[in-house]
Each structure stands twice: as structure tokens, then as C-alpha cells.
Amino acid sequence: MKLEAVDYAAPGADKLFVESLRATGFGVLKNHPISKQSVTSIYQNWQSFFDSAEKEQYLFDKATQDGFFPITVSETAKGFKKKDIKEYYHYYPWGKCPPELKQELADYYQAAMTLAAELLGWVEKYSPAEVAKKYSQPLSNMIKDSEQTLLRILHYPPLTGDEEPDAIRAAAHEDINLLTILPAANEPGLQVQGKGDQWIDVPSDFGNLIINIGDMLQEASGQYFPSTTHRVINPDGADMSKSRISLPLFLHPRPDVVLSERHTADSYLKERLRELGVA
């Protein structure tokens, strides 16, 4: 398995992108519409936020899942017993957010959502007829007016060497949602699982946009589009002293959207949040 960046502006980009998703669960785009300058500014401003005591004023609400999640309540990946070494902030347009950081996030959220709708359209365009008929409605319509789509600002703090044995920044997991839209982080570490025990580094060139399939799209497509296992490994040597900031947008359908005979988006999300130990 090899992940190669697709030029968003090139002829046939839509087909190449969906072929990559189908083969690996991941697609990588370059020359896309998301501003590098915007991403850089968000990384810098939120690093300052995570380094400050202000973050404690925005502790998450367990019912609404917005706000700051400290390392002490970080997720435990399904099948694992050790919490991930990370803290993060959940941003929704309707949720709490530091006033000085909100407009920048709101602008990024809107730009990413616009691109996301286009990418879902690409996925549907190149879904075989027998797969497309499983969709209860157009994929891009599933996220229309959804208040569940989540922008997560992730902070993986520097490692001290005192971490629990076998704990890593993000243990092997699959995402819950339809697609995840992720600008390349400011440090490497993201890997996708290939065949067997093979782990492949996801291209982390700054400016790339990484997109992966979530369980909800796998469910809606009758397993045609694979929700591939991925993880964030711990750095070595001098890189242990570096923070890592990441900015995934998790595309969630409206709660009433029917994914399959087994699940609506709401029932699926609640089941997974219970498994993660955050609800």
C-alpha cells in the first residue's frame, strides 16, 4: 500500500481521490482550497491556549461534548486500556469557545465544510450503482444543516519519559463519522495500518490535506468504503520535546439520518461514545 498526494486542481482528481479512498481508506490532496496561512495561525494560537491556564475555564460539558478535554479524561481507544497521551478542544459553531479564537475557527470550519461537501459528492459520483442505492439520501445532504460536525483541536504534549508503559499519543482506532478532513499536522507521527502488522506513514508535508473514511461511511456503503485503522505514534529522541497540534474535522450527519438497517447516525454515535468512555 502506498499513499500518494492527488493534485486537487488536476483533471481527474476526483476519480483518483476516490480510488485512493477505496484502496486504503485514506486520500491525500495537494493544491486544495484550504489556506496554509489559516492553518498555521490556528496551530500557533491554539498552542498558546494549551500552554495557558485559561483552558481550565472551558472544561467540556459531558452532555453536549463541547469544550476542553484534559489529558486525565482523554479517550481510551476501543480495545485498549491506556488513555491516549493527548488533550483537545471540541469546537462546534453553537458551542463554547474563547472569544479571541472563535472567528478564526468559524472561518476555517466554513471553508472546510464547503470542501467536505464537494468531496462527499466525489465519493457518491464514483460509488458503484449497487453501493449508491444503499445511501438513504445524497451523502453531501447528510451533513447539510448538521450541528454534529466536530472540529477538534488536538494537542499532543511533549513527552517526559514518565508516561505509562505502552501508552501512545493515539492508539490504533477508526473514526466514527463519514469522512475526516485533516490538514497535515505540525509534526509527523500519523500512520495507517496496511496488511497484517504493517504500518505506513501518512505523508505529512505541510500543506497536504489528509482525508480518511469513518465508520459511518463504511456502514452506509455496506462496507464498500473501508474505515481504516490508524494511530499517532510517539516521537523519538529530540522530537520527544516537541508538541504536536492537529486539526481534524469530523463530518457527522444529522442525528436522524439513516445509515443502514441497523443504525441511524444518532444511535451509532451514542454507541461509539460509550465505547470510548466519554459518554
Side-chain angles (χ1 to χ4, degrees):
M1 186 198 304
K2 187 177 181 182
L3 285 170
E4 294 185 359
V6 172
D7 188 338
Y8 170 87
D14 52 355
K15 188 171 187 290
L16 289 172
F17 171 76
V18 177
E19 286 174 352
S20 179
L21 283 183
R22 165 71 172 148
T24 69
F26 273 73
V28 181
L29 291 176
K30 60 184 179 181
N31 298 327
H32 53 79
I34 301 298
S35 161
K36 288 185 189 179
Q37 184 177 0
S38 169
V39 173
T40 298
S41 180
I42 290 171
Y43 286 173
Q44 291 172 344
N45 289 333
W46 280 85
Q47 181 68 64
S48 297
F49 174 82
F50 287 118
D51 288 342
S52 75
E54 181 188 6
K55 60 188 180 184
E56 302 295 340
Q57 300 173 27
Y58 291 91
L59 286 174
F60 75 102
D61 184 309
K62 195 164 187 177
T64 57
Q65 294 285 304
D66 63 320
F68 169 64
F69 290 71
I71 288 179
T72 52
V73 297
S74 180
E75 293 170 323
T76 303
K78 185 177 178 180
F80 289 81
K81 295 181 179 178
K82 303 289 176 69
K83 288 185 179 296
D84 290 345
I85 308 170
K86 65 189 183 189
E87 58 185 355
Y88 48 92
Y89 196 99
H90 279 184
Y91 169 79
Y92 298 94
W94 48 261
K96 69 181 83 171
C97 185
E100 67 278 11
L101 299 175
K102 186 166 186 176
Q103 189 59 56
E104 184 174 59
L105 277 195
D107 292 344
Y108 175 83
Y109 186 99
Q110 188 55 54
M113 284 292 290
T114 299
L115 177 60
E118 180 181 17
L119 298 182
L120 285 171
W122 289 4
V123 171
E124 184 158 6
K125 177 181 178 181
Y126 290 102
S127 294
E130 66 271 17
V131 174
K133 72 181 183 182
K134 297 178 186 293
Y135 304 145
S136 63
Q137 57 188 274
L139 294 177
S140 59
N141 192 60
M142 291 183 180
I143 62 169
K144 189 173 186 287
D145 300 324
S146 173
E147 295 187 342
Q148 303 298 310
T149 290
L150 162 66
L151 182 60
R152 173 184 279 184
I153 307 96
L154 269 162
H155 177 230
Y156 302 97
L159 301 181
T160 63
D162 296 329
E163 290 77 23
E164 282 192 273
D166 301 325
I168 68 171
R169 283 180 158 176
H173 66 283
E174 301 81 40
D175 291 345
I176 303 170
N177 40 287
L178 290 170
L179 288 178
T180 300
I181 313 290
L182 176 71
N186 63 339
E187 293 291 332
L190 179 62
Q191 295 183 325
V192 57
Q193 189 169 28
K195 294 180 180 179
D197 295 329
Q198 181 189 27
W199 287 95
I200 299 154
D201 292 327
V202 175
S204 60
D205 299 348
F206 186 71
N208 280 353
L209 200 64
I210 301 157
I211 297 93
N212 66 273
I213 294 168
D215 290 348
M216 288 185 179
L217 180 54
Q218 178 175 267
E219 183 77 14
S221 67
Q223 318 298 308
Y224 179 79
F225 286 106
S227 179
T228 306
T229 304
H230 52 286
R231 67 183 183 181
V232 179
I233 59 171
N234 295 343
D236 294 321
D239 288 341
M240 289 177 63
S241 65
K242 296 179 181 178
S243 285
R244 184 178 189 272
I245 296 281
S246 180
L247 192 64
L249 180 77
F250 300 109
L251 297 178
H252 279 274
R254 296 180 308 282
D256 63 300
V257 168
V258 174
L259 297 175
S260 66
E261 292 182 357
R262 299 189 306 162
H263 282 294
T264 63
D266 183 59
S267 69
Y268 202 96
L269 177 61
K270 287 177 177 174
E271 177 182 286
R272 290 296 306 276
L273 290 177
R274 286 192 296 268
E275 291 171 349
L276 288 170
V278 295

